[in-house]
Amino acid sequence: MLKPGDVVFYARSPASEFCDAVEQVIPNNSYFHVALAVSERSLVEATPEGVLERTLKDSLDDNQPGIVEILEVKGIPESTILKAATWCRSKVGFPYNDLFSADLMNSDDLESYYCSQLITEAFRGVEMHWPTHTLNFLNCDGNLIEFWIEYFRKRGRPQVPQGDVGSHPGQLRRSPVLVLKMRILPTKMNLNTLKESKLLELSSHFVGGNHVEFVSNRQFPVMEPRSGRKLATWHYANAEQVDLVVKTAKNAQKTWAGSTWMERNEVLKKTAELLKTHCDDIAYWECLSNGKPISEAKADVLSCVDTFNFYSGIAHDLLGHHIPLDPTRYAYTRRLPIGVVAAIGAWNYPIQTCTWKTAPALACGNSIIYKPSPLSPVTALILGEILKTAGLPDGVFNVIQGDAETAQHLIHHDDVTKVSFTGSIPTGKTIMAACAERNIKPVTMELGGKSALIVFEDADVDSGVACAMMANFYSQGQVCSNASKVLVHKGVLKEFLEKLVKKTKELKIGDPLKDETQVGAHISEVHRTRVEGYINGAINEGATKICGGDRIQVPGLENGYYLSPCILTDITPNMTVYKEEIFGAVLLIIPFDTEEEAVGIANDTDMGLAAGLVTKDLAKSYRISEQLNAGNVYVNTFNDVSPLVPFGGIGESGFGRENGVAVLEHYTQLKSVFVNTGACPNPF
């Protein structure tokens, strides 16, 4: 976060009477301390204990500011800035100027400095354009502050030096050559009062173990789908800020990679415990920023508990192998961390997608930079705080907000050594190309799908209806593995359709925060309109709407993005809805006669994320599962998931896997070592 010459200002809320008194002496001021960065990891500050060099973290822990601002010096030669930092470092060990005297002498007649004086002296002779300042110890009523009267009396100075020449952090902050680089909010998020906290006011990013606000001219609204109202305005990270985050992650990864497997496992296990403890409040924020029903949000958080628990015990799968070759030769393999992982998440399962990438990456000893979707950017920040509370070293897990431009900066960075992406097929292709554009780096892709569910004639119809609804109506149909094509044998079509329509019409659409709600709000107005476009387009192409597809007005949330689940029939292969991923609650009924016909329709796509079938015939389930071109096949269920089982697609749906032991291949690199225990024979 730091570079030599950065000026670091500390603002409210001070935790001591001294800091409070310093703050009062400039009207409308909240700054009580200032320091100078002398390296990427440390700063020098004048404190009542003397001039100290320490890490930013140690300084924050000691000073307990409410806000920290890091400013760059602009318009001054780099050599001059570095000279100031070097001079400042040379004063480490000098005492504190407890008299604030301009002659740099303290009450013991020793050369000394107070905090802002150390900065002005470091830049002495440089055109810093500090505003003039005289020492002021008066309150707003024009009377001497009692604290300062007693302060100077104790030091043998009966007179308070009111009006003497001096400096103050609040005065230095106004220099026109200081440009704000970032704000840090070091006060921890209170996990015990998450629902009541002003979480959206904390910051947009989580970097180096702190909630951070970058200065950027590119903003985006954080929207609440359930009401359509704007919750906050946040900022995208730019190229320079991405570079800072990557460097932070790279430095932190070295320490984390050197930790033992048991140390890593303890952090992941503690993370699981904290997720479980705070499940309800995390689900509240997931619901608020995503629009899915609170019952689903809670299930998502609990699935994250399972994921962290699973990877907390994965160490034995990271072991290498010993391979004897002959009596004097052997080889062994080591599975090593891959480095800095850039993970780009989707908006439909915000915290679950983040967890699926984060837990295995951390278990393998990597650091991670997670970029959530701007449409659901909140809960990744909560996970950052939970990981920090669980003992994860600062900088190992980071969250940056961004759009496609930010993602490109992240992917192209030379120090990013692995990319994991969940999202649409077009974006995946762009990212894959970018991963080979400047430097080759491995990438895994979990992309979209156009899946099918086959309901055979021997199926239990009620079970088939349940599977069809599970395959289409979770999260308002915004699920990549959804089977929008529901293939129903003509022998059970009438009964199936009657029961499906009845159950679909009974679904409770409403406020996602209410426990009884089964269908919540779409992620955005734009996306709801897109789903409506698919429905209307299908009708124009000859499909029949059986039910749903209507905008719903929820009392008190009239501007929310609600749409009733839709069922369409009379679907033909030339229709857009037959070929494209809808990503909404639009279920297509397609009758069939034979197994061959059903399998042909199910496989009639370039995508291959999921497929399913409903049957009582075990032999048939095995036979059909082998024929379906999909990375995930569901028999008498759909959209089932477990951290123990790999998840991913084939074809246009991507490659690589999330979950299970298989994912460890993607977050590690294998090193083979050959050893000859005897003398090396010369073949020449």
Side-chain angles (χ1 to χ4, degrees):
M1 293 188 182
L2 301 173
K3 71 174 184 179
D6 284 349
V7 185
V8 183
F9 289 89
Y10 300 66
R12 260 287 194 215
S13 49
S16 71
E17 185 183 10
F18 178 79
C19 293
D20 190 59
V22 171
E23 182 185 322
Q24 291 182 52
V25 299
I26 288 186
N28 302 316
N29 165 68
S30 63
Y31 300 99
F32 66 90
H33 188 56
V34 63
L36 190 72
V38 295
S39 74
E40 291 183 351
R41 299 188 179 186
S42 65
L43 49 76
V44 171
E45 57 185 332
T47 75
E49 289 74 41
V51 180
L52 308 175
E53 178 176 354
R54 50 186 173 180
T55 64
L56 178 61
K57 182 181 184 303
D58 288 342
S59 178
L60 298 185
D61 289 344
D62 187 51
N63 288 290
Q64 293 292 303
I67 299 175
V68 170
E69 295 183 339
I70 301 177
L71 287 84
E72 293 182 277
V73 180
K74 295 290 189 179
I76 304 297
E78 187 70 19
S79 59
T80 301
I81 297 173
L82 292 175
K83 184 178 179 181
T86 301
W87 180 92
C88 215
R89 183 174 251 167
S90 73
K91 299 302 176 181
V92 171
F94 279 63
Y96 185 68
N97 187 351
D98 58 348
L99 299 180
F100 310 109
S101 60
D103 62 1
L104 312 180
M105 304 300 287
N106 66 6
S107 57
D108 293 325
D109 291 327
L110 297 172
E111 180 184 347
S112 54
Y113 303 88
Y114 58 89
C115 67
S116 55
Q117 188 178 55
L118 185 70
I119 310 303
T120 57
E121 289 298 316
F123 287 100
R124 178 176 286 277
V126 181
E127 291 294 325
M128 295 295 290
H129 303 286
W130 308 120
T132 56
H133 177 74
T134 55
L135 298 180
N136 175 47
F137 301 97
L138 305 178
N139 60 23
C140 58
D141 297 323
N143 300 316
L144 286 172
I145 298 170
E146 189 63 33
F147 174 90
W148 294 115
I149 296 174
E150 181 65 15
Y151 177 92
F152 284 102
R153 186 191 65 77
K154 289 180 179 178
R155 287 159 178 78
R157 300 297 191 273
Q159 296 295 321
V160 175
Q162 174 67 26
D164 287 5
V165 176
S167 61
H168 187 280
Q171 166 241 358
L172 301 191
R173 178 63 180 80
R174 297 170 185 159
S175 167
V177 303
L178 296 180
V179 178
L180 182 63
K181 183 166 76 171
M182 62 191 297
R183 289 189 180 92
I184 300 174
L185 292 91
T187 304
K188 285 186 177 181
M189 180 191 301
N190 190 340
L191 294 177
N192 294 316
T193 56
L194 270 179
K195 191 180 292 186
E196 290 75 28
S197 70
K198 296 181 179 179
L199 178 61
L200 297 172
E201 297 178 10
L202 272 178
S203 67
S204 315
H205 315 271
F206 186 82
V207 181
N210 290 298
H211 296 278
V212 170
E213 187 60 72
F214 287 128
V215 178
S216 170
N217 58 5
R218 297 194 305 124
Q219 301 178 341
F220 70 99
V222 179
M223 302 297 294
E224 181 185 55
R226 65 186 280 272
S227 66
R229 70 186 178 99
K230 184 170 75 171
L231 299 174
T233 299
W234 282 1
H235 298 82
Y236 294 138
N238 60 31
E240 184 178 356
Q241 293 155 355
V242 168
D243 178 63
L244 183 152
V245 178
V246 173
K247 289 178 178 176
T248 299
K250 184 180 180 181
N251 287 333
Q253 191 270 332
K254 297 172 185 175
T255 301
W256 181 241
S259 62
T260 67
W261 286 329
M262 292 307 298
E263 288 170 337
R264 293 181 213 163
N265 295 345
E266 282 299 314
V267 170
L268 299 188
K269 190 173 182 180
K270 180 63 175 176
T271 299
E273 293 172 1
L274 289 168
L275 283 167
K276 187 173 184 178
T277 298
H278 302 289
C279 173
D280 288 353
D281 287 351
I282 299 169
Y284 166 83
W285 283 105
E286 187 85 336
C287 179
L288 215 64
S289 66
N290 173 270
K292 67 174 60 186
I294 190 70
S295 58
E296 289 189 32
K298 289 177 182 178
D300 290 351
V301 177
L302 291 176
S303 78
C304 296
V305 174
D306 293 341
T307 301
F308 273 101
N309 271 328
F310 176 70
Y311 288 106
S312 73
I314 206 71
H316 61 281
D317 290 294
L318 294 171
L319 297 174
H321 294 92
H322 178 270
I323 307 110
L325 300 173
D326 62 34
T328 62
R329 294 167 53 243
Y330 67 88
Y332 64 89
T333 61
R334 293 195 64 205
R335 192 164 287 285
L336 303 171
I338 203 163
V340 178
V341 176
I344 301 170
W347 49 257
N348 57 334
Y349 284 86
I351 196 165
Q352 187 183 76
T353 303
C354 184
T355 294
W356 280 13
K357 299 179 187 301
T358 299
L362 294 180
C364 293
N366 303 293
S367 62
I368 189 165
I369 302 168
Y370 188 76
K371 191 200 82 63
S373 165
L375 295 176
S376 52
V378 178
T379 46
L381 298 172
I382 299 177
L383 182 59
E385 189 66 37
I386 284 177
L387 285 163
K388 180 183 176 74
T389 304
L392 187 72
D394 292 345
V396 177
F397 176 82
N398 308 275
V399 178
I400 59 170
Q401 308 295 345
D403 55 2
E405 181 181 324
T406 305
Q408 286 294 314
H409 295 318
L410 190 58
I411 294 163
H412 282 144
H413 200 288
D414 291 341
D415 290 331
V416 169
T417 50
K418 156 76 181 175
V419 175
S420 177
F421 171 70
T422 297
S424 70
I425 293 172
T427 303
K429 290 180 177 180
T430 301
I431 289 175
M432 189 172 176
C435 286
E437 193 171 16
R438 284 183 50 178
N439 55 3
I440 294 175
K441 58 191 68 175
V443 57
T444 50
M445 298 279 173
E446 197 269 277
L447 307 178
K450 188 63 181 178
S451 307
L453 172 69
I454 306 171
V455 182
F456 286 101
E457 188 174 20
D458 68 319
D460 177 90
V461 174
D462 290 328
S463 180
V465 169
C467 291
M469 296 179 75
M470 290 167 64
N472 281 277
F473 298 154
Y474 277 136
S475 294
Q476 297 71 252
Q478 301 164 143
V479 183
C480 54
S481 55
N482 266 3
S484 58
K485 295 192 295 185
V486 178
L487 318 182
V488 186
H489 193 278
K490 291 179 181 178
V492 295
L493 178 60
K494 182 180 178 182
E495 180 186 0
F496 179 90
L497 189 55
E498 288 176 352
K499 290 185 174 182
L500 175 65
V501 171
K502 181 178 184 295
K503 287 288 186 182
T504 300
K505 288 182 176 180
E506 290 173 351
L507 289 172
K508 173 66 176 176
I509 306 169
D511 183 353
L513 287 175
K514 293 185 177 180
D515 290 333
E516 64 268 23
T517 296
Q518 295 170 294
V519 179
H522 283 62
I523 190 67
S524 69
E525 174 62 31
V526 170
H527 187 68
R528 178 176 66 173
T529 301
R530 181 174 179 270
V531 174
E532 289 175 316
Y534 275 112
I535 296 170
N536 295 329
I539 294 171
N540 291 336
E541 291 176 334
T544 301
K545 186 174 80 168
I546 302 300
C547 68
D550 303 312
R551 293 196 174 195
I552 303 298
Q553 293 273 307
V554 175
L557 302 169
E558 287 78 8
N559 294 321
Y561 315 131
Y562 300 93
L563 192 69
S564 58
C566 180
I567 299 174
L568 299 175
T569 61
D570 300 319
I571 304 299
T572 59
N574 63 313
M575 292 180 178
T576 302
V577 291
Y578 178 93
K579 295 177 285 188
E580 295 184 7
E581 182 181 30
I582 302 170
F583 221 65
V586 181
L587 190 156
L588 315 176
I589 296 293
I590 304 174
F592 73 91
D593 284 308
T594 66
E595 284 186 18
E596 293 75 19
E597 181 187 4
V599 171
I601 296 171
N603 288 339
D604 187 19
T605 175
D606 293 330
M607 294 171 260
L609 186 56
L613 60 145
V614 186
T615 179
K616 296 176 182 176
D617 188 334
L618 184 61
K620 182 187 291 184
S621 72
Y622 183 84
R623 182 173 65 251
I624 299 300
S625 295
E626 290 298 297
Q627 297 176 56
L628 293 172
N629 297 330
N632 309 277
V633 177
Y634 304 100
V635 179
N636 297 326
T637 185
F638 211 93
N639 280 328
D640 200 354
V641 69
S642 167
L644 284 72
V645 183
F647 179 87
I650 60 176
E652 293 285 283
S653 292
F655 53 87
R657 292 293 181 266
E658 309 272 21
N659 292 341
V661 176
V663 75
L664 303 180
E665 297 280 347
H666 306 308
Y667 291 115
T668 56
Q669 49 195 343
L670 202 60
K671 176 184 286 187
S672 299
V673 180
F674 289 83
V675 179
N676 175 24
T677 61
C680 182
N682 190 337
F684 301 104

